[in-house]
Structures are given as C-alpha cells and as structure tokens.
Amino acid sequence: MAGVWLLLVLFLLGSAEAGKLLVIPSDGSHWLGMKPIVEELGRRGNQVVVVIPEASLSMGPSQNTTTLTYPVNYTKAELEAGLADTINTLLSVDISTDLAKFQAFIISLDLLQSFIVRNAEGLLFNKDLMNKLQDYSFDAILTDPFEPTGAIAGEYLSIPAIYMQINHPCGVDALASQCPVPASYVPQPLTHFTDHMNLWQRSVNLVRTLMQPMACRHLFTHADEIASRVLQRKTSMVEIMSRAALWFMRFDFALEFPRPVMPNMVMIGATVSQKPKPLSKSISKATPPPKHMNEYSKELFLNACTFLK
C-alpha cells in the first residue's frame, strides 16, 4: 500500500497533489546520477529536501529543491586525499589468481567500512536537524544504500524508503529483498567471471555466494552499531533495507549479466550529469539525434513508476 501511495503522489504524471520527498544521497557518481531525477521531481511540484554534508566532492545546491547541510569532521581536501589513497590501494592489489581476487574483495570491504559511515554520526546524532526533518512529515525518502545514513534516517523517521543504486559491494540488495542469485550464472563481485563459467569457476562462485551474508555483516559492522544506537534496538542494515518500498537499479541487462529481480525492483538504466554535445549537421541530417541520456533516464524512471501504479 505504501509503494502504491508513493507512486500516485510523487511520480504520477500530471498529478495535482504534490508530495514531500527527503533525499539523502551518496557522494560522487552516486549523486551525479541521482541529481537529474531529484531536480525533475522538484520541477513537477513536489517538495524535495536534499540533506548533504558541508564538505563533499560533488554535492551542492540543486535546482527546484531545498538543501540542508550538516557539519562533518573532515574537509574536502582530506576527503579527496583519502579517496585517492583508497583508489591507489585497490589498484595495487594482486588479482592474478582466484585466491588473490578473494583477498582483494576482503581488502575492498575493509577500506569501505569507514568510508561509508563517515557521515552517519554527523547527521543521525544531530538532534536539531533530525527534529527538523521529523517536522517536515515526509511522505518518502530517496537514498542510495551505498552509504547507510539515508536508510537509517528513513527507518528513524518511519517513512517508506526508495533506494537508487548501481551495484552494491556486498550485494545487500539481493540479501535484503531475498532476491534469488543463482551461483551457476550470476558472478559475484570482483571474481571477474562471466555468466559462462567452467566447473572450477562455478565452485568458487558458489563459495563466494554462500559467504555473501558474512561479507555484508563485515562491511556493515560499524553501520549496524550506529543503527542500533539511533533506533535504540538491536538491528542491522540488512534488516532495515529489507523493508524497502522500491529499488531503482541504475543499470540494465544490455550491459550487466541478466539475473532475477524482485517485483519492487525497477531498472532505470544508466544516468549521466551532463548533456552530450549535439551531433554535427552532416550526421543530424542523415540520422535524427537521440534524446539526451539524462532526459531519457528521467523519462524511464517516471514511466516505470506510472506503469507500476
């Protein structure tokens, strides 16, 4: 019922009634892909409030929205330096064997542990800001589950959650939604396998699939602790995300390996933050120029919602 109401109020084309949407994005490409859709929802008359940290790589005020900021214990320069160190570490890891690839996967989880919770306490323990968000009486929250901050905030505010993600490091979308992930043809992250695996590769992939819950518990060790403190009960990120109203997946099976999806998962394709340059006159006369990718993504997003109502 909550999902239907969200669709009717927030995304139905031509709706006369506007909704209140809270947006807590993740930095970098996660926000750049979400921003065009957020601005479009604001343009359509919804009250959209975007909550971001004072220091970030790419986030800032966006059109047709209200932006709220909260203090964090790092600067943009420190964030850039930390990100560069993380990338250099990941690029220097050996992946020449299946064992090395698994070790690289564990290293990536270790590096991401502190990275994904760097904003959590800054927002969730900011009583003034959380009380202000409570007073808005939002209809829903749109967030990227790459960082757990938005998911915990949505649970605290008791509002339906819409997640927009690319590929999660530990595949929490499959775990939380109980979506089937057949190990016979769905490669696990950083295995570098395809959907055509030999017996050895299938065996390795099966072991990795069985270890997926352990990987998520490892990745969300600190996030689970923060969530339990904020909600004042023992909980986990997998449990919180299992109550998602909708999952908007920023990929499609033209580029990804096909796999099962749940009824509340909608493929919206890739999104970009900049309009491509127009085609030259010689080309445009022969072939009509295609729609800009970000406009296409917005239409796909809204049309999917309308189709599901």
Side-chain angles (χ1 to χ4, degrees):
M1 183 64 185
V4 173
W5 189 85
L6 289 173
L7 297 174
L8 290 174
V9 174
L10 294 177
F11 308 117
L12 185 60
L13 298 175
S15 174
E17 183 180 4
K20 296 180 180 180
L21 181 68
L22 171 63
V23 179
I24 301 181
S26 296
D27 209 350
S29 60
H30 301 268
W31 166 238
L32 296 179
M34 183 184 289
K35 183 179 179 181
I37 297 172
V38 170
E39 292 181 336
E40 177 66 12
L41 290 171
R43 188 188 69 80
R44 290 173 180 264
N46 299 290
Q47 183 180 3
V48 181
V49 177
V50 183
V51 180
I52 60 175
E54 290 181 348
S56 70
L57 295 173
S58 60
M59 294 187 288
S62 49
Q63 298 178 0
N64 309 314
T65 66
T66 299
T67 301
L68 301 178
T69 61
Y70 57 93
V72 288
N73 59 357
Y74 58 82
T75 64
K76 181 177 180 179
E78 292 172 341
L79 184 60
E80 291 173 341
L83 180 61
D85 289 341
T86 299
I87 293 175
N88 290 334
T89 301
L90 291 175
L91 293 177
S92 63
V93 174
D94 175 36
I95 54 172
S96 58
T97 65
D98 290 329
L99 179 59
K101 292 173 185 176
F102 177 71
Q103 291 173 331
F105 176 63
I106 298 301
I107 291 173
S108 67
L109 295 181
D110 289 336
L111 292 173
L112 288 173
Q113 257 198 48
S114 58
F115 184 79
I116 66 174
V117 296
R118 68 189 188 281
N119 296 325
E121 293 186 348
L123 171 60
L124 298 172
F125 294 107
N126 187 325
K127 292 184 178 180
D128 291 338
L129 181 54
M130 293 301 291
N131 289 336
K132 186 174 183 179
L133 297 180
Q134 190 86 57
D135 293 338
Y136 270 99
S137 299
F138 289 107
D139 300 313
I141 180 172
L142 176 65
T143 187
D144 190 320
F146 175 76
E147 290 189 45
T149 308
I152 300 173
E155 185 76 3
Y156 177 82
L157 298 172
S158 299
I159 53 179
I162 303 173
Y163 297 140
M164 180 181 293
Q165 71 163 35
I166 307 176
N167 282 319
H168 199 277
C170 75
V172 70
D173 54 315
L175 286 177
S177 64
Q178 297 185 352
C179 183
V181 184
S184 59
Y185 68 90
V186 180
Q188 287 292 310
L190 295 183
T191 59
H192 300 274
F193 295 156
T194 70
D195 54 341
H196 297 285
M197 293 177 272
N198 58 35
L199 180 59
W200 168 253
Q201 292 172 333
R202 289 177 191 274
S203 301
V204 172
N205 200 57
L206 175 61
V207 173
R208 287 284 302 275
T209 301
L210 295 174
M211 296 183 66
Q212 189 180 24
M214 186 186 306
C216 274
R217 285 196 297 271
H218 181 71
L219 177 64
F220 289 129
T221 298
H222 301 317
D224 290 347
E225 294 174 355
I226 293 173
S228 298
R229 289 165 56 195
V230 172
L231 302 175
Q232 298 184 351
R233 58 179 170 83
K234 185 68 174 178
T235 188
S236 69
M237 293 310 305
V238 175
E239 177 190 345
I240 292 173
M241 293 183 191
S242 68
R243 289 187 280 275
L246 288 170
W247 294 82
F248 287 101
M249 319 302 284
R250 282 179 51 200
F251 58 78
D252 58 57
F253 292 151
L255 300 175
E256 301 284 336
F257 296 118
R259 61 179 177 85
V261 294
M262 300 301 280
N264 64 340
M265 291 181 172
V266 181
M267 304 295 171
I268 64 171
T271 51
V272 295
S273 59
Q274 295 180 350
K275 295 182 180 180
K277 295 180 180 180
L279 297 174
S280 63
K281 292 183 179 180
S282 60
I283 297 178
S284 61
K285 288 181 179 179
T287 305
K291 293 181 179 180
H292 298 311
M293 188 61 187
N294 58 346
E295 293 294 331
Y296 171 76
S297 299
K298 286 185 283 189
E299 288 183 9
L300 190 58
F301 175 87
L302 295 167
N303 289 339
C305 294
T306 304
F307 175 76
L308 289 174
K309 66 178 173 56

